Amino acid sequence: MTAAVAEPEVAPVARRRGPLLLILGALSAIGPLSIDMYLPALPAIAGEMGAGQSQVQLTLTACLVGVSIGQVVAGPLSDVRGRRVPLLIGIAAYAVASLLCAFSPSVYGLVGFRLLQGVAGGAALVIVRAVVRDLYEGAAIARIFAVLMLVSGLAPILAPIAGAQLLQHTSWRGVFVSLSVVGLLLLVAALSGVRETLPRDRRESGGLLHTLLTFGHLLRDRSFMASALAGGFGFGGMFAYISGSPFVLQQVYGASPQTFSLVFALNALGLTVTAQIGGRLAGRRVAPARLILIGLFLSMAGAGLLLATVVLDLPLAVLVAALFVMMGGAGFVLPGAGALALAGQPQQVAGSASALSGVLQFATGAVAAPLVGLGGDGSALPMAAVLAGLTLASFLVFVGLRRAPRDVSAG
């Protein structure tokens, strides 16, 4: 194994970018796979372990917290040690942690192992974004993020469907065994297809103090924070939907696990399609910041319709339409905000910038996920209220913090 992960010289990546982007897209699917594939099993986990909805949703929160921790550690580390070795270690650890989840003896044991799974997955996610920053500049970053979302977007479409089908032949534990196998396959792909993209002469040489100073600089950068926080609140809204929708659709509206997975796939498809539209328009016909605003307006419209649906007790079809509009808006916001947050940062701190942006996203998701369960299993109002609040916060912070239009439209 030591020889396999030994650090090579930076490869000429220009001729390899097609296969590399495919691998990076698959690696960026670690997050959706870890979260979405076991969603249809949440009620079954609660039943088997004698746990309540909020307790089971802590397994989602733990994963999100772990992803945040993994990004904080691996992002700055990759600025100092290079991208490849931390990436390979993270993927290998993910495969092991997923297997441990399958053998959890209790809901709190599952929470702990999900935390470890998130830490390992976070390392992969943050380094994928840093690699993109190493290879691309300006508006090209937004277009590549959209390409990665096209690849990784298949995960939230297929994962809940695959999870629901697996539950017909195995228990929720088999879902985590499958995730471990996916981790091993990704490790093989990364070993063969991902070369070093950060040359030694461009790496940071500072230690913990330098990392903290870099984070401090980023936190004071209004342009960076406008995009990072907007993406963070948008991401939090998406995870509030992810956490609450299995219970809302299956227990409040009486949908089967298979119906839920199809609705979830429809919304994921909407997010993926709008991400591709945004990627094609970014920097060509429409400024990235304007695309984000379009997405925010769509998301707020969907959130308003969702609240009206819940308060007025409208049919399931209207609820699904509202969620579809919200996820379509997120398809403009999430890749655009992530790209704008990184576009203005130098390559030497791309890992740290990617880490801070990712932490804001997953920390918000970790807080939002259990909130939707506080009202109990029999109401959709908590999910609708949390989604509306986070969508409005995303809009306000983006408009309020961004500087002159030339700064947020760069690239």
Side-chain angles (χ1 to χ4, degrees):
M1 178 63 70
T2 302
V5 299
E7 184 178 12
E9 294 300 321
V10 176
V13 295
R15 296 188 302 272
R16 301 173 53 88
R17 288 190 182 181
L20 175 63
L21 287 178
L22 183 61
I23 295 172
L24 293 178
L27 289 172
S28 66
I30 280 182
L33 282 174
S34 302
I35 295 161
D36 302 339
M37 197 166 179
Y38 91 130
L39 286 180
L42 287 182
I45 294 173
E48 177 182 326
M49 294 187 166
Q53 178 181 345
S54 293
Q55 287 176 302
V56 175
Q57 284 170 334
L58 282 177
T59 64
L60 177 59
T61 299
C63 184
L64 298 179
V65 171
V67 170
S68 298
I69 295 172
Q71 291 184 96
V72 168
V73 173
L77 180 64
S78 73
D79 288 337
V80 176
R81 308 291 293 182
R83 313 298 188 202
R84 188 171 189 265
V85 173
L87 175 64
L88 296 176
I89 293 173
I91 301 170
Y94 174 85
V96 173
S98 298
L99 192 61
L100 292 174
C101 288
F103 294 97
S104 300
S106 67
V107 67
Y108 294 109
L110 181 59
V111 168
F113 291 137
R114 287 281 285 170
L115 179 68
L116 295 177
Q117 186 188 40
V119 171
L125 293 173
V126 71
I127 294 173
V128 164
R129 293 195 299 265
V131 168
V132 172
R133 177 63 187 90
D134 291 342
L135 300 179
Y136 297 93
E137 299 283 347
I141 300 176
R143 292 193 290 272
I144 297 306
F145 274 20
V147 172
L148 294 183
M149 184 166 283
L150 175 61
V151 179
S152 64
L154 293 174
I157 294 173
L158 299 178
I161 297 176
Q165 295 304 314
L166 281 172
L167 289 175
Q168 293 184 333
H169 304 285
T170 183
S171 70
W172 61 267
R173 299 180 189 274
V175 174
F176 284 105
V177 172
S178 299
L179 288 174
S180 181
V181 173
V182 169
L184 291 174
L185 294 175
L186 290 174
L187 179 61
V188 172
L191 280 168
S192 61
V194 179
R195 299 293 181 260
E196 185 57 65
T197 59
L198 184 63
R200 290 180 181 273
D201 59 354
R202 295 184 183 178
R203 296 178 189 176
E204 289 291 316
S205 57
L208 177 61
L209 178 60
H210 186 273
T211 297
L212 294 176
L213 291 174
T214 299
F215 281 157
H217 170 75
L218 291 169
L219 288 169
R220 293 189 300 271
D221 185 334
R222 288 169 58 93
S223 179
F224 172 83
M225 291 301 295
S227 298
L229 283 174
F233 286 124
F235 209 73
M238 187 172 69
F239 276 102
Y241 154 71
I242 288 172
S243 175
S245 59
F247 295 94
V248 168
L249 290 172
Q250 294 180 75
Q251 296 186 0
V252 178
Y253 284 87
S256 68
Q258 288 71 34
T259 300
F260 160 73
S261 65
L262 290 175
V263 172
F264 196 87
L266 174 66
N267 291 328
L269 179 63
L271 184 147
T272 304
V273 169
T274 54
Q276 300 317 299
I277 295 172
R280 291 182 177 275
L281 295 177
R284 296 178 179 177
R285 301 177 182 85
V286 183
R290 185 164 296 178
L291 284 173
I292 296 173
L293 286 172
I294 292 172
L296 289 171
F297 281 120
L298 280 174
S299 294
M300 287 190 294
L305 179 59
L306 180 62
L307 272 175
T309 301
V310 172
V311 172
L312 300 176
D313 195 23
L314 298 178
L316 175 62
V318 183
L319 181 92
V320 172
L323 292 173
F324 183 81
V325 173
M326 285 195 67
M327 291 301 103
F332 286 122
V333 173
L334 296 180
L340 279 181
L342 291 182
Q345 307 304 321
Q347 185 180 4
Q348 291 89 337
V349 298
S352 297
S354 177
L356 183 55
S357 177
V359 164
L360 291 172
Q361 291 181 350
F362 282 90
T364 306
V367 172
L371 291 180
V372 302
L374 293 180
D377 300 347
S379 173
L381 185 58
M383 184 184 77
V386 171
L387 285 172
L390 288 172
T391 301
L392 179 61
S394 182
F395 172 78
L396 292 176
V397 76
F398 187 71
V399 173
L401 281 182
R402 64 185 184 134
R403 291 179 175 175
R406 61 180 179 84
D407 292 327
V408 297
S409 301

